[in-house]
Amino acid sequence: TPTGKRISVKLAPNPSHLEAVNPVVEGFARAQGDEEYNGDFTKILPILIHGDAAVAGQGIVYEVTQMAKLKGYQTGGTVHFVINNQVG
């Protein structure tokens, strides 16, 4: 960062347009928050990039979003970038 702090970035490969990686990323974030940061989710920021009308067309996006407030699945928030959602 400009202030000299280090940031760790993990990339999760998505096998296709099917958004299969969403729950995997959320699970990684939840596990790291629990194990490495003792439940302090302010130190983690999951980022999901959606393309090709995936937000409107893939149910898994909504399922993962609905789980966000369930105890045991919370990650403190996720940034969603929606790109080319009008294509579909």
Side-chain angles (χ1 to χ4, degrees):
T1 67
T3 61
K5 291 186 178 182
R6 295 185 65 142
I7 296 175
S8 175
V9 177
K10 293 180 185 176
L11 296 175
N14 195 32
S16 70
H17 67 288
L18 297 178
E19 299 286 321
V21 77
N22 293 354
V24 174
V25 168
E26 296 295 337
F28 279 147
R30 176 60 195 220
Q32 188 171 16
D34 284 343
E35 295 295 319
E36 196 170 324
Y37 299 115
N38 296 317
D40 183 4
F41 295 104
T42 63
K43 299 187 180 291
I44 300 170
L45 179 61
I47 299 173
L48 295 172
I49 302 172
H50 310 281
D52 300 327
V55 170
Q58 300 295 325
I60 195 166
V61 176
Y62 292 109
E63 291 169 7
V64 169
T65 302
Q66 291 298 319
M67 293 172 62
K69 295 293 183 180
L70 293 175
K71 187 178 179 180
Y73 293 91
Q74 297 172 342
T75 61
T78 301
V79 173
H80 295 261
F81 287 104
V82 181
I83 302 167
N84 287 334
N85 209 49
Q86 295 297 321
V87 174

